[in-house]
Amino acid sequence: MCTAATYRTKDFYFGRTLDYEFSYGEEITVTPRNYPFSFRYLPEKRKHYAIIGMAHVEEDYPLYYDAVNEKGLGMAGLNFVGNAVYGEVREGKENVAVFELIPYILSQCENAEEARELLGKIQITDTRFKEQLPNGRLHWIIADEKEAITVESGTEGLKIYENAPGVLTNNPPFPMQMFQLNNYMQLSSRQPENLFSDQLSLETYSRGMGALGLPGDLSSASRFVRVAFTKLHARSGEGEADSVGQFFHILGSVEQTRGCCELENGKYEITIYTSCCNATKGIYYYTTYTNRQITAVDMHREKLDGTELIRYPMLEEEQIRLQNA
């Protein structure tokens, strides 16, 4: 499964974990402004905002998992199996296939408000990129430096929710995720007071006891609570290294370790990669399960007025620095 989060210091940061049992060969992909974006039911876009993110590229088309555009708007799709329902093609709507929703939004929206307005005109369809590639059952987080929203397409149509914590995982639906935070309102980063009874002399015996009860399991509901608590209490310096490092610590609180989440086919879910994009500057940072070193791709070092995709495979071999070499 997956977890996404936003973070704000001097700049705005957006990223996610991708938790799954295998990889589709995803790459850090820059789509320049003049790449011809084709859509199944809508006119081709030959001029648009440049985009950087993680994508599986199929037939020279970027199937983005998460990305930001040059204006600082970020978007990520996360599994929403059992709840996601896509519609049929409808007249009077801008029909957008689920696989092209991220490029459709990021190619033309500067901020979350513009994305919200555009989503009001959209019908998300279950059209496949090609028959051999079934669509994921997804919901999405869209965020800029000022706000975040969650987008879910279900049996009742397309719903857009304000996302105050700036966090998204998987099931259950977003309103239920938010409601369960009421169960944890007593958690604190500070040491607790004895409210159990004034007749008993109870004392703290360890640091961090204000967060007793914070869920630690791997379910998406628990990861939502844990990363929301971690993100909302996280503090870092304003510098790039401090901010990026802190963001990876936030998502590190919900990373999946091989062996801890066994699947029916005998495989294990792991955190294949973790991303952190400085959406303000267009720099995409990432780590992988087998390479803990932070690697970066800066979109503004590329020719953003070009017409062809720019692709970088993930560096997955562990890189260890021997200090006393």
Side-chain angles (χ1 to χ4, degrees), residues 8 10 17 25 100 106 128 148 204 232 284 297 304 321:
R8 174 87 175 146
K10 183 178 66 175
T17 64
E100 60 193 18
L106 295 186
R128 295 187 181 190
T204 59
L232 293 171
Y284 192 95
V297 177
L304 294 185
R321 180 177 180 178

Side-chain angles (χ1 to χ4, degrees), residues 9-290:
T9 57
K10 183 178 66 175
D11 291 339
F12 171 61
Y13 299 86
F14 179 90
R16 59 95 58 82
T17 64
L18 181 82
D19 305 326
Y20 211 59
E21 65 270 29
F22 60 85
S23 168
Y24 284 95
E26 47 274 354
E27 301 173 297
I28 301 85
T29 305
V30 178
T31 302
R33 300 180 186 115
N34 296 311
Y35 169 87
F37 256 133
S38 60
F39 299 99
R40 292 300 169 90
Y41 306 108
L42 295 166
E44 182 179 74
K45 286 189 180 297
R46 289 190 167 271
K47 292 187 179 296
H48 50 76
Y49 298 136
I51 300 169
I52 185 171
M54 192 71 76
H56 168 66
V57 179
E58 185 77 17
E59 297 178 3
D60 199 42
Y61 193 94
L63 302 171
Y64 277 112
Y65 303 2
D66 57 274
V68 301
N69 67 18
E70 62 182 297
K71 296 297 183 178
L73 181 65
M75 184 171 180
L78 284 74
N79 272 338
F80 195 44
V81 178
N83 286 297
V85 177
Y86 310 128
E88 301 292 331
V89 175
R90 283 178 55 189
E91 285 190 30
K93 287 284 188 178
E94 295 188 7
N95 295 285
V96 180
V98 62
F99 68 82
E100 60 193 18
L101 183 62
I102 290 180
Y104 190 70
I105 295 293
L106 295 186
S107 65
Q108 58 187 313
C109 296
E110 289 194 20
N111 51 50
E113 182 58 37
E114 288 187 5
R116 184 190 288 105
E117 183 178 345
L118 185 60
L119 286 162
K121 307 172 185 176
I122 282 177
Q123 171 82 336
I124 301 175
T125 75
D126 204 14
T127 310
R128 295 187 181 190
F129 181 80
K130 62 181 183 181
E131 192 58 34
Q132 302 91 318
L133 286 178
N135 287 321
R137 317 322 280 181
L138 306 172
H139 59 174
W140 297 266
I141 181 172
I142 304 175
D144 59 27
E145 63 179 0
K146 295 180 179 179
E147 64 171 323
I149 58 176
T150 295
V151 180
E152 296 182 343
S153 179
T155 55
E156 298 181 356
L158 192 68
K159 302 288 186 180
I160 302 172
Y161 304 101
E162 295 297 325
N163 187 330
V167 170
L168 189 64
T169 56
N170 312 104
N171 291 313
F174 186 71
M176 297 174 65
Q177 296 275 37
M178 287 296 296
F179 182 81
Q180 71 163 335
L181 293 181
N182 291 297
N183 297 326
Y184 300 96
M185 68 172 71
Q186 79 281 2
L187 299 187
S188 173
S189 60
R190 300 176 181 176
Q191 292 292 78
E193 299 178 16
N194 175 18
L195 301 178
F196 189 90
S197 173
D198 58 9
Q199 300 177 45
L200 298 175
S201 178
L202 302 179
E203 298 179 354
T204 59
Y205 55 84
S206 170
R207 295 178 178 179
M209 292 180 66
L212 277 175
L214 182 67
D217 64 87
L218 303 178
S219 68
S220 56
S222 293
R223 284 185 284 107
F224 184 91
V225 176
R226 192 159 69 256
V227 80
F229 179 86
T230 305
K231 173 256 172 95
L232 293 171
H233 288 281
R235 300 290 181 270
S236 72
E238 295 283 300
E240 185 72 350
D242 287 339
S243 302
V244 171
Q246 187 72 316
F247 191 93
F248 278 103
H249 282 300
I250 291 167
L251 287 184
S253 69
V254 291
E255 284 186 347
Q256 302 250 28
T257 301
R258 181 179 285 114
C260 293
C261 181
E262 186 172 359
L263 307 175
E264 292 180 359
N265 56 12
K267 296 184 178 181
Y268 298 96
E269 186 167 276
I270 62 171
T271 297
I272 293 175
Y273 74 84
T274 302
S275 67
C276 165
C277 193
N278 182 326
T280 307
K281 293 185 170 68
I283 305 173
Y284 192 95
Y285 300 91
Y286 71 93
T287 62
T288 72
Y289 193 84
T290 53

